Amino acid sequence: MSSLNIEILNPKAKKLLQDLAELKLISIRESSENPFLAVVKRIRTKKAELSMEDITKEVEIVRAKRYAKKG
């Protein structure tokens, strides 16, 4: 069995798909999950936890680079 993600552009196509589902040739499942949000969730779960020391060091590095350019 294979799965496809289909974007329906014409309401007639949806009717055809529903007819195929009634004939038990295909199965239709509507996804309520937004693909963008799924990617965001995946990225958020992979992020490393930073300590205040790590954050402070990074801020100091960025500030040093910024002020070095001005001088």
Side-chain angles (χ1 to χ4, degrees), residues 41-56:
K41 286 180 187 176
R42 189 178 74 224
I43 291 171
R44 285 183 177 170
T45 58
K46 289 185 178 183
K47 73 176 181 180
E49 292 190 25
L50 299 174
S51 67
M52 280 306 289
E53 273 184 29
D54 294 334
I55 294 170
T56 303

Side-chain angles (χ1 to χ4, degrees), residues 27-69:
S27 170
I28 299 175
R29 281 179 293 161
E30 291 192 33
S31 175
S32 62
E33 186 173 327
N34 184 335
F36 174 75
L37 293 178
V39 172
V40 170
K41 286 180 187 176
R42 189 178 74 224
I43 291 171
R44 285 183 177 170
T45 58
K46 289 185 178 183
K47 73 176 181 180
E49 292 190 25
L50 299 174
S51 67
M52 280 306 289
E53 273 184 29
D54 294 334
I55 294 170
T56 303
K57 286 179 187 176
E58 188 64 28
V59 169
E60 288 173 359
I61 291 168
V62 171
R63 285 180 180 165
K65 288 180 184 177
R66 179 180 297 161
Y67 294 124
K69 290 180 183 178

Side-chain angles (χ1 to χ4, degrees), residues 9-38:
L9 303 176
N10 186 320
K12 292 179 183 179
K14 186 173 184 177
K15 175 64 175 133
L16 290 171
L17 290 171
Q18 289 171 339
D19 291 343
L20 290 172
E22 287 176 10
L23 293 171
K24 306 243 187 258
L25 296 174
I26 65 170
S27 170
I28 299 175
R29 281 179 293 161
E30 291 192 33
S31 175
S32 62
E33 186 173 327
N34 184 335
F36 174 75
L37 293 178

